Amino acid sequence: MSRNFSPFFKSLGGRYKRIRKCCKGTPDPDWYNYKLGRLRELESLNQQGAINLFYGDESHVCSEGYVPYGWQFKDEDVSIKVERRFRLNCFALIDRKSECHWTSSLGNIDSKFVCNYLDKFSMTINKETFIVLDNASVHRSKLMKERIIEWESRGLFIFFLPTYSPHLNIAETIWRKLKKEWLRPEDYVDADSLAYATTQCLMNLGSMLKINYCEFKIT
């Protein structure tokens, strides 16, 4: 016999909320505070209009999306067809006003892919622009390091977050919103539908779809 423990947990002050993933380690306190101070400076310059500041991240959507529940009516059989796994990889840059620049690929988003995209992006900027990235190997590769000097000559600078600090990267919110809120269960019916829906969401980010980022107050 099942029991409803919600009232009990609520009486203890508990809340039913999403369980977040956490890092396996913690950042070095001194280095973290130094990088946090530098990030605050960039955020301040961005608010003053002196620079552009974007946060970058990559993720993917696939046809094996987690869609356990959906509205169904009497005598209606709602199901998702099983087919060969489809995966669409995405890379995006976003600022606190939800201005988003993105690209997608059926292939892997490796260091070469990121470099090529940032190389093209560096040709479009009209003021000094900083890209905030985490320390994933795809961002810290030899190829990336070789390209940084040329990007800086064009006014594009890479700012690496301290290790084990995903909470500082606002770009990660894109993928949570995309997978948990914007994509619908019916978008997973086949590969074409999923690719189209994902593309539409990313295209509308900043206009019809927005993320309400708070001011930079992380300590």
Side-chain angles (χ1 to χ4, degrees):
M1 180 178 178
S2 62
R3 298 180 179 178
N4 187 349
F5 290 98
S6 295
F8 173 71
F9 288 128
K10 287 181 179 179
S11 70
L12 297 177
R15 291 183 298 163
Y16 189 80
K17 58 186 295 186
R18 183 171 63 93
I19 304 299
R20 296 179 179 273
K21 294 181 179 180
C22 63
C23 297
K24 62 181 180 180
T26 57
D28 174 81
D30 292 336
W31 184 241
Y32 179 87
N33 289 329
Y34 168 75
K35 297 291 282 188
L36 190 62
R38 292 286 292 118
L39 189 56
R40 284 200 183 98
E41 293 175 5
L42 294 178
E43 285 281 359
S44 178
L45 290 172
N46 180 54
Q47 291 176 5
Q48 297 169 29
I51 65 169
N52 286 330
L53 179 63
F54 290 93
Y55 291 75
D57 193 35
E58 55 276 315
S59 188
H60 70 273
V61 294
C62 73
S63 55
E64 294 180 356
Y66 181 64
V67 190
Y69 297 99
W71 287 106
Q72 301 183 46
F73 298 94
K74 185 178 180 180
D75 300 325
E76 182 183 23
D77 182 19
V78 179
S79 60
I80 297 176
K81 295 180 180 178
V82 177
E83 61 175 40
R84 183 179 180 183
R85 186 183 182 193
F86 168 77
R87 174 172 172 142
L88 181 67
N89 297 300
C90 307
F91 178 78
L93 305 173
I94 195 168
D95 67 8
R96 289 191 179 274
K97 296 180 180 179
S98 289
E99 179 181 337
C100 184
H101 302 270
W102 62 277
T103 185
S104 61
S105 173
L106 296 178
N108 294 330
I109 293 187
D110 54 16
S111 185
K112 182 178 180 180
F113 185 95
V114 174
C115 281
N116 287 341
Y117 182 77
L118 292 179
D119 197 54
K120 294 177 182 178
F121 183 74
S122 69
M123 304 296 288
T124 67
I125 60 177
N126 54 17
K127 66 169 66 172
E128 285 194 354
T129 300
F130 286 77
I131 306 295
V132 179
L133 297 174
D134 61 27
N135 287 272
S137 58
V138 66
H139 304 148
R140 284 289 196 175
S141 69
K142 179 181 178 181
L143 182 60
M144 283 284 288
K145 293 177 181 178
E146 291 174 347
R147 300 298 296 161
I148 284 177
I149 295 178
E150 184 171 349
W151 293 336
E152 290 183 350
S153 69
R154 300 173 187 170
L156 182 70
F157 301 86
I158 305 298
F159 179 88
F160 289 106
L161 293 171
T163 56
Y164 306 126
S165 305
H167 57 286
L168 295 178
N169 191 351
I170 66 172
E172 292 196 0
T173 309
I174 299 173
W175 317 123
R176 176 171 58 83
K177 301 283 281 188
L178 177 68
K179 299 173 186 180
K180 300 292 184 180
E181 298 181 24
W182 298 337
L183 289 177
R184 306 163 300 173
E186 53 265 36
D187 293 328
Y188 289 86
V189 67
D190 55 42
D192 289 339
S193 297
L194 182 57
Y196 177 79
T198 301
T199 299
Q200 288 298 109
C201 288
L202 293 175
M203 286 180 60
N204 289 324
L205 183 51
S207 56
M208 297 178 64
L209 296 174
K210 288 192 175 183
I211 301 175
N212 296 320
Y213 290 115
C214 61
E215 293 183 5
F216 187 78
K217 296 181 180 179
I218 299 175
T219 58

